[in-house]
Amino acid sequence: MTIKPLIILPDPLLRQVSKPIERVDADLQRLADDMLETMYDAPGIGLAAIQIGVPRRMLVIDVSREGEEKQPLVFLNPEIVASSDERSVYEEGCLSIPDYYAEVERPATVTVKYLDRDGKDQTVEADGLLATCLQHEIDHLNGVLFIDHISRLKRDMVIKKFTKAAKSAKAL
């Protein structure tokens, strides 16, 4: 398994819409393993393939608590097919927007259809942290970032900060 470099805001790749997975093979399963390794190393609880520069509709999640056994999940072509009217608010962060957190309101529960790492059809009804994480990562597959769910003023400040940091890094 290989830890991959993360794509960081303001990289335009983060705004790209990912393409569907057409077949599950050993390369795709290796990518899933690399994504999990990268996510655990970061450390994070979710990672979309686009965040490591691969524009495919694939994400990995593990919302197990520290000290609990790891529960890695792989979602291929995930699609939200239902969401609740009830809302919940979580403080979200993102591996592609390091050290920035903001409260985001999303549906409290979602139903997601997807293929598992073996290419089998699955459906999960999620609530709590898993529901939030799934929505956050599926947003990535559609070129949407969690900062798109906060006020325009806060979002513009975050983008400006990361754009300035990227320019400074290039100057070095």
Side-chain angles (χ1 to χ4, degrees), residues 35-63:
M35 287 174 62
L36 285 163
E37 189 77 11
T38 301
M39 179 188 75
Y40 289 132
D41 180 68
I45 60 170
L47 184 71
I50 194 71
Q51 291 178 271
I52 58 167
V54 179
R56 308 283 301 279
R57 296 191 76 78
M58 175 176 184
L59 55 93
V60 296
I61 291 177
D62 187 342
V63 293

Side-chain angles (χ1 to χ4, degrees), residues 6-10 14 42 51 93-101 146 158 161-162 165:
L6 293 166
I7 304 293
I8 304 294
L9 189 73
L14 291 171
Q51 291 178 271
C94 181
L95 297 177
S96 293
I97 310 174
D99 304 319
Y100 181 78
Y101 303 89
F146 87 95
V158 173
K161 174 185 169 190
F162 279 86

Side-chain angles (χ1 to χ4, degrees), residues 36-152:
L36 285 163
E37 189 77 11
T38 301
M39 179 188 75
Y40 289 132
D41 180 68
I45 60 170
L47 184 71
I50 194 71
Q51 291 178 271
I52 58 167
V54 179
R56 308 283 301 279
R57 296 191 76 78
M58 175 176 184
L59 55 93
V60 296
I61 291 177
D62 187 342
V63 293
S64 61
R65 303 245 181 257
E66 200 170 315
E68 292 179 352
E69 189 175 327
K70 288 181 179 174
Q71 297 174 12
L73 301 169
V74 176
F75 296 82
L76 308 175
N77 297 333
E79 178 187 353
I80 296 171
V81 293
S83 57
S84 65
D85 290 334
E86 183 189 346
R87 312 290 283 179
S88 67
V89 176
Y90 273 92
E91 185 176 72
E92 294 186 28
C94 181
L95 297 177
S96 293
I97 310 174
D99 304 319
Y100 181 78
Y101 303 89
E103 288 193 343
V104 176
E105 183 179 299
R106 298 182 185 268
T109 61
V110 291
T111 303
V112 176
K113 286 178 62 173
Y114 66 100
L115 300 176
D116 64 18
R117 69 178 294 138
D118 298 317
K120 305 258 186 310
D121 285 317
Q122 302 288 342
T123 302
V124 63
E125 290 191 23
D127 60 7
L129 184 57
L130 180 58
T132 296
C133 193
L134 276 165
Q135 291 171 82
H136 176 113
E137 299 306 333
I138 290 170
D139 272 357
H140 271 299
L141 302 180
N142 297 318
V144 176
L145 301 174
F146 87 95
I147 58 173
D148 297 334
H149 296 282
I150 62 177
S151 75
R152 178 180 216 126

